[in-house]
Amino acid sequence: MSLQKSAFLKGRAWIELSAANLRHNVEAIQALLPANCELMPVLKADAYGHGAKLVAGELQKMGIRAFCVATVLEGVELRRSGIRGEILVLGYTHPEQFYLLRRYSLTQTVVDYPYAQLLNDLGREIRVHIGVDTGMHRLGENVQNFHRIRYMLKMRNLRVEGIFTHLCAADTDSPADRVFTRMQGEKFFQLAGSLQEEGAPRLKAHILGSYGLLHYPELAGNYARIGIALYGALSTGADAKRCPVHLRPVLSLKARVASIKELGAGESAGYGRAFTAKGKTKTATLSIGYADGLPRALSCGVGRVLIRGKFAPIIGFICMDQTLVDITGIPDVTPGDEAVIIGESGKESISAADLAEQTGTITNEIFSRLGPRLERILVSPEAKGEIISLSS
Ligand SMILES: *Cc1c(COP(=O)(O)O)cnc(C)c1O
């Protein structure tokens, strides 16, 4: 990649990150945390598609000292880019890769009791946080198995520094889900308290993600593992509207107008001739496609983009590398113009939540599928759009 890379990054399709908005979100989230609770940003899946190196670098500059990732190799990548402090791997690591945990000073989640034994069998000390299952039934040792969990503390090669659980229904306000979530919190803190009494006083306990923090701040432990909110979004647009803290979107997604065409009535465009012009129609071909993470489900008029402050509907089927839009009625569009897929243009804007709603998913999926072909550019808070940092 780097060999061919030109100094100009806004060539085809790219992501712009607002450093100012990231800082705003960090401060807004930190203001919600009790004094003894530290923000532990979640940088999995390339920081929800934003670009983990850039985001982590900014966070480190802001004084953040603890991070989460999903995989051991995501942790390695952060270390290689100079990230210090604690990096917790939330997901499964194969025993063949345990050596990487040590080599890069990563902290591994103990996903259950048999896994604790595998980690211990490495024969050399590994830092861990114990995952506890309080009802999600994904990862974690069952919260009821106090003796198994206590025994993990005694395993010779496990340096147990934390214990955590994950809420599975913190995002709804149904009474049943609230009861369930409170039960998760109670069982977890009861367990953590007993372990701390039994000789692990410095064990860090944590439970909250973004929705947990917004809806159950009273459950805050020593860390808050915040992902989606950090990026200035929630899973749905409706949730974002109801959100009591003001978050600002960090990411904009843009692409170039490659070519402009005029179609007469009855002429078709794109694969399968899925679009047919009803009358004289002007189209633009954009240099972004589903391989970049633009959902193909936005094809045929479901989605739209912004060009020169005006909406241009997507026509025909989105291709792997390109997308057609209808620009009839948008004056002066020129090849090389910017098209905004997520972000602002003039007085209009399109959010990741809009794309999620149009395609029946959540913003988390829209973000995390944004592909490696997109350049990621961090835009300075002071200078007007000046580039201060590049993704690689
Ligand atoms: C992804 C993840 C988070 C972050 O969730 P958000 O809702 O994005 O804040 C926290 N904890 C665990 C275990 C996760 O997998």
Side-chain angles (χ1 to χ4, degrees):
M1 192 104 178
S2 58
L3 258 188
Q4 302 290 323
K5 184 160 278 180
S6 105
F8 184 66
L9 297 168
K10 300 183 177 182
R12 175 184 167 268
W14 67 97
I15 284 168
E16 290 175 22
L17 302 174
S18 162
N21 287 2
L22 180 64
R23 177 175 288 271
H24 168 91
N25 296 339
V26 165
E27 287 168 359
I29 291 163
Q30 282 174 331
L32 297 176
L33 300 175
N36 58 341
C37 183
E38 207 180 312
L39 173 60
M40 194 185 217
V42 180
L43 302 177
K44 62 194 183 191
D46 205 19
Y48 293 45
H50 288 57
K53 283 189 208 168
L54 286 181
V55 172
E58 280 302 290
L59 293 170
Q60 183 154 281
K61 276 192 236 157
M62 291 178 216
I64 308 281
R65 289 290 172 267
F67 306 90
C68 303
V69 292
T71 75
V72 66
L73 291 180
E74 289 175 342
V76 169
E77 199 190 349
L78 288 185
R79 285 285 188 243
R80 284 187 174 157
S81 76
I83 299 305
R84 299 176 298 275
E86 181 165 9
I87 300 179
L88 172 63
V89 179
L90 295 169
Y92 171 82
T93 300
H94 192 279
E96 290 285 334
Q97 293 181 313
F98 284 167
Y99 76 98
L100 290 170
L101 297 167
R102 281 181 54 83
R103 182 175 298 171
Y104 291 94
S105 301
L106 305 172
T107 307
Q108 174 60 42
T109 295
V110 179
V111 307
D112 57 20
Y113 184 74
Y115 194 76
Q117 292 173 314
L118 283 177
L119 282 162
N120 190 51
D121 287 346
L122 184 71
R124 306 182 66 188
E125 191 178 71
I126 297 182
R127 293 178 190 202
V128 299
H129 284 204
I130 298 172
V132 178
D133 179 9
T134 53
M136 180 152 186
H137 302 329
R138 186 174 66 174
L139 292 183
E141 180 57 40
N142 190 320
V143 68
Q144 273 150 11
N145 295 337
F146 176 70
H147 296 290
R148 281 180 147 202
I149 294 170
R150 185 176 56 177
Y151 190 70
M152 292 179 196
L153 297 177
K154 302 209 169 87
M155 287 184 175
R156 194 153 169 245
N157 298 312
L158 297 194
R159 187 153 120 211
V160 183
E161 295 181 329
I163 183 161
F164 73 97
T165 194
H166 194 48
L167 301 175
C168 51
D171 58 332
T172 85
D173 52 14
S174 93
D177 285 344
R178 292 196 68 83
V179 168
F180 188 87
T181 302
R182 294 223 173 79
M183 175 279 293
Q184 285 189 284
E186 250 165 59
K187 285 185 177 167
F188 174 71
F189 282 113
Q190 211 166 39
L191 170 77
S194 311
L195 293 173
Q196 281 156 343
E197 275 166 32
E198 291 217 12
R202 281 201 296 277
L203 214 55
K204 305 264 197 187
H206 48 109
I207 178 165
L208 301 180
S210 296
Y211 280 92
L213 177 62
L214 291 174
H215 297 155
Y216 303 90
E218 69 278 8
L219 295 181
N222 302 110
Y223 285 123
R225 305 183 306 267
I226 306 300
I228 192 70
L230 188 77
Y231 306 104
L234 288 175
S235 294
T236 69
D239 290 347
K241 263 201 203 101
R242 282 198 299 269
C243 181
V245 271
H246 182 67
L247 302 168
R248 297 186 187 152
V250 172
L251 174 145
S252 303
L253 175 62
K254 301 181 181 179
R256 294 286 172 190
V257 171
S259 181
I260 294 169
K261 297 186 191 296
E262 307 241 11
L263 305 185
E267 283 193 287
S268 61
Y271 283 124
R273 303 168 61 220
F275 174 80
T276 303
K278 290 203 181 75
K280 248 180 103 175
T281 302
K282 212 168 178 187
T283 68
T285 306
L286 308 182
S287 50
I288 187 168
Y290 61 76
D292 299 295
L294 186 64
R296 189 167 176 276
L298 293 170
S299 297
C300 303
V302 174
R304 53 189 190 170
V305 306
L306 282 164
I307 300 177
R308 294 187 177 245
K310 297 215 158 58
F311 287 105
I314 294 172
I315 56 174
F317 286 113
I318 295 175
C319 311
M320 190 179 285
D321 320 303
Q322 295 167 94
T323 298
L324 303 177
V325 295
D326 184 344
I327 55 166
T328 315
I330 308 179
D332 303 329
V333 180
T334 314
D337 274 1
E338 286 184 16
V340 174
I341 292 100
I342 298 171
E344 295 177 357
S345 174
K347 295 198 185 88
E348 305 290 355
S349 68
I350 297 172
S351 69
D354 293 334
L355 271 62
E357 193 172 330
Q358 289 158 350
T359 57
T361 184
I362 55 176
T363 56
N364 314 47
E365 183 177 357
I366 298 289
F367 281 143
S368 62
R369 287 173 172 272
L370 295 174
R373 272 196 326 206
L374 300 166
E375 302 285 356
R376 281 151 174 93
I377 303 165
L378 187 70
V379 178
S380 126
E382 306 85 20
K384 292 190 205 94
E386 193 191 318
I387 295 172
I388 55 171
S389 212
L390 316 174
S391 55
S392 44

